[in-house]
Amino acid sequence: MRSIHKPRWRRVGVSLLVTAFIAIATGVPLAMLILPGVAQRQMLGRLDSPDPKEWHQALGYVAVHAGDDPAVARAAIDRLATPDHDRFNALMQALDMAGVWQRAGVGDDAWLRHIEGLLTDAQPETRIVGVQALAELTDLAGDPRGVKMLEHAASDEDGEVRFNALFVAAELVGITPDVNRQSYVALLSRLADD
């Protein structure tokens, strides 16, 4: 007589299929939640890598994701304090490509460092852009860092750069608090003789 029970291998096979289906049904969504965070931490960790290849991969990640992910933008902005000017400029460009290179987002220190880079460029046109950028910092009109940069521009070898420094100093002297105004007055009198 035949047994009414299914063979044992069928029961085991069905059990394995059900187990595999449950593992896939729960594992795939779980992996989709966990893996992007792991990949993000790995890429952001590469921003500190001495290996140029890894570092450039991380910059590409910042350029693509910083606009959509505040954690990526913050990680890149935090690294703007690097003493390496090349890394600073590359981070700045990646943040700019992502659409997050804005003074309010990166802070005054990084913004002034960027302007300082413009003012020390080999091209006079770029130095003029740096001087004009100082004019936009009306809320920092009396900041000694900005005054120092403007004084540097006022002694530039190019006459157009010096002229722009004169113009910006004249703009800023009117909005600078009284305690800091003397720096601009002295600068204006020196430039007026030029």
Side-chain angles (χ1 to χ4, degrees):
M1 198 166 185
R2 284 181 156 204
S3 170
I4 56 173
H5 296 292
K6 294 181 181 173
R8 183 167 188 219
W9 62 270
R10 276 192 180 169
R11 280 183 277 150
V12 171
V14 169
S15 297
L16 287 174
L17 281 174
V18 169
T19 303
F21 177 75
I22 291 172
I24 290 171
T26 57
V28 170
L30 190 61
M32 291 175 68
L33 289 172
I34 293 172
L35 289 179
V38 170
Q40 180 186 59
R41 280 191 299 281
Q42 181 182 25
M43 283 304 228
L44 294 180
R46 290 180 180 178
L47 283 173
D48 299 320
S49 175
D51 180 21
K53 183 179 177 182
E54 286 186 0
W55 189 68
H56 281 88
Q57 287 174 340
L59 283 177
Y61 186 84
V62 168
V64 171
H65 296 284
D68 300 326
D69 190 342
V72 174
R74 177 58 32 212
I77 289 168
D78 289 346
R79 286 164 173 86
L80 287 171
T82 178
D84 185 335
H85 293 295
D86 293 334
R87 283 193 175 228
F88 173 83
N89 287 330
L91 283 166
M92 179 190 68
Q93 290 171 357
L95 289 167
D96 190 38
M97 288 170 47
V100 295
W101 178 254
Q102 300 166 3
R103 180 178 168 213
V106 299
D108 293 339
D109 291 337
W111 202 257
L112 287 169
R113 185 173 177 188
H114 163 62
I115 293 173
E116 185 176 29
L118 295 173
L119 292 170
T120 58
D121 193 81
Q123 299 297 319
E125 294 83 9
T126 305
R127 295 194 304 270
I128 290 170
V129 170
V131 171
Q132 292 170 351
L134 285 172
E136 296 173 8
L137 302 178
T138 56
D139 60 320
L140 295 177
D143 189 299
R145 298 171 294 181
V147 173
K148 182 179 175 186
M149 285 188 254
L150 199 54
E151 287 172 346
H152 174 75
S155 61
D156 195 273
E157 62 190 35
D158 188 85
E160 290 293 318
V161 176
R162 290 193 310 273
F163 173 75
N164 277 274
L166 170 69
F167 186 75
V168 169
E171 276 186 59
L172 295 177
V173 75
I175 59 173
T176 302
D178 290 339
V179 293
N180 298 326
R181 188 171 292 155
Q182 189 57 38
S183 300
Y184 288 115
V185 172
L187 183 62
L188 283 170
S189 65
R190 191 177 90 213
L191 284 171
D193 293 337
D194 187 16

